[in-house]
Amino acid sequence: MSISRRAFSAAALTVGVTGACIPAFAQDKYPSKPLRIIVPYPPGASTDALARALARKLSTNMGVPVVVENKPGAAGTMGTQLLATAAPDGYTIGIAVPSTHTLPIALSRKVPYDPLKDFTPLSLVANNPLAIVVNPNVPVKTLKELVEYARANPGKLSYGTSGAGTSQHLVGEMLNQFAKINIVHVPYKGGSGSLNDLLSGQIQVAFVVVPTVLTHVKAGKLRMLAIIDEKRYSELPDVPTNTEVLPGFAPVPSWLGVFGPAGLPPSITARLVAELQKAARDPELANYLNAGGMPVIGSNGEQFAARLREDIDGWTPIVKAGKLSATD
């Protein structure tokens, strides 16, 4: 699948034209009823934590209830499809990650929606950095030592992810390509299976979002070797970034964003963007997300759209070089 910059312009034009068809009186009263935030993953994930934190702030600031609806299934595509087909009236928005929007394009993965044209990007709320973690029984303490150990023991290490075609999977394969090693991929149907097997030693390595393993790392049950981000994480300042340890190994950082369906009226889009940015700037929310491993960004829609393009451009060469697919 190939999406050009022209497609972004076309999508933006569609938003404007469709928005003009919605009566002005409906927009003037917005919001006049509860909003819902669709989360395409189960409760407990970083997407869910973000949605519930946002819901509290949006409800207070907008004066209406904001309800979180978890709609897991099909690696996030079920809930994302519900968002794509929701009425473009501003009362349904949804949480998104690379696996639901940019990686299907990079992987030429068929999903029941167009990852770009069927949505209105509202805000890139936070980074969702991945961490490289190992079971403490693996005799390594740094990412460099992991690479050296993998070279000395080809095919004997395995890494778990929440599924094929996810950011975790692509980071793992990128490390294999970059370091010329062979850590075997073991995909799971969600992050809990991977985490449980990592803790028990069934697999030795995992690429996971920071919130998933933070408590286990602090308790000494897992060892975090590096964080995939541009800077160190404030809660674990001794853990280096990927480029500090392996210069040149620079995967595209993961993120958490909010979309609406395509065709949102400009006035409602602007209101939602403003409210999401206001929530992201709130010290209470920012501190909560930062402490949970989700550094706040709070972009506008145009900046979010640009990040989507950067994601696609960054991952596509990795996918082609490794001849990867969404089922590997």
Side-chain angles (χ1 to χ4, degrees):
M1 185 186 299
S2 175
I3 303 293
S4 65
R5 294 183 183 276
R6 185 175 298 173
F8 276 111
S9 299
L13 179 60
T14 302
V15 169
V17 172
T18 308
C21 299
I22 295 182
F25 70 84
Q27 299 180 36
D28 292 341
K29 295 181 180 179
Y30 177 82
S32 59
K33 62 180 182 179
L35 277 68
R36 66 170 176 161
I37 302 177
I38 295 177
V39 179
Y41 296 101
S46 56
T47 47
D48 183 67
L50 174 69
R52 294 183 187 280
L54 279 177
R56 289 190 292 270
K57 290 299 175 184
L58 292 176
S59 179
T60 298
N61 294 341
M62 300 181 77
V64 295
V66 179
V67 180
V68 174
E69 295 185 7
N70 295 89
K71 300 291 184 180
T77 60
M78 185 178 296
T80 305
Q81 183 182 18
L82 286 176
L83 176 62
T85 57
D89 55 9
Y91 289 100
T92 301
I93 58 179
I95 305 295
V97 293
S99 295
T100 57
H101 283 75
T102 55
L103 294 187
I105 298 173
L107 288 160
S108 298
R109 174 189 172 201
K110 292 183 179 180
V111 290
Y113 51 83
D114 187 299
L116 298 182
K117 292 182 180 179
D118 288 346
F119 303 90
T120 300
L122 297 173
S123 180
L124 178 62
V125 179
N127 275 334
N128 193 29
L130 298 178
I132 303 175
V133 290
V134 296
N135 183 285
N137 291 328
V138 180
V140 302
K141 293 185 178 180
T142 67
L143 179 55
K144 186 176 181 180
E145 289 180 358
L146 176 65
V147 169
E148 293 170 349
Y149 186 83
R151 284 176 180 161
N153 300 273
K156 292 185 179 181
L157 292 177
S158 57
Y159 76 90
T161 70
S162 59
T166 59
S167 297
Q168 298 99 309
H169 175 206
L170 267 63
V171 170
E173 291 309 302
M174 186 176 180
L175 179 62
N176 278 339
Q177 292 176 28
F178 179 84
K180 296 180 174 58
I181 56 178
N182 180 27
I183 305 179
V184 180
H185 180 220
V186 181
Y188 291 80
K189 294 181 178 179
S192 60
S194 172
L195 177 59
N196 290 338
D197 279 2
L198 180 66
L199 288 166
S200 67
Q202 296 298 309
I203 57 174
Q204 299 78 39
V205 187
F207 297 84
V208 293
V209 292
V210 171
T212 304
V213 295
L214 188 57
T215 56
H216 298 296
V217 171
K218 289 184 174 181
K221 295 179 180 180
L222 295 174
R223 182 178 299 136
M224 187 180 294
L225 304 183
I227 185 169
I228 309 296
D229 205 357
E230 296 176 353
K231 60 182 180 180
R232 295 192 181 198
Y233 172 42
S234 59
E235 294 291 308
L236 296 170
D238 293 333
V239 178
T241 66
N242 47 293
T243 53
E244 287 182 85
V245 185
L246 292 179
F249 175 58
V252 180
S254 189
W255 45 262
L256 291 160
V258 178
F259 285 89
L264 283 179
S267 62
I268 289 179
T269 298
R271 175 72 186 278
L272 284 169
V273 169
E275 293 292 351
L276 288 166
Q277 289 185 312
K278 180 180 179 181
R281 290 194 299 267
D282 185 279
E284 182 183 14
L285 180 67
N287 290 337
Y288 169 76
L289 295 179
N290 286 327
M294 296 171 277
V296 170
I297 298 175
S299 78
N300 60 33
E302 291 77 13
Q303 292 165 334
F304 190 12
R307 176 66 179 271
L308 298 176
R309 169 51 55 192
E310 291 173 6
D311 248 37
I312 296 166
D313 292 345
W315 281 123
T316 300
I318 302 301
V319 170
K320 290 181 178 179
K323 297 180 181 179
L324 303 175
S325 73
T327 58
D328 289 330

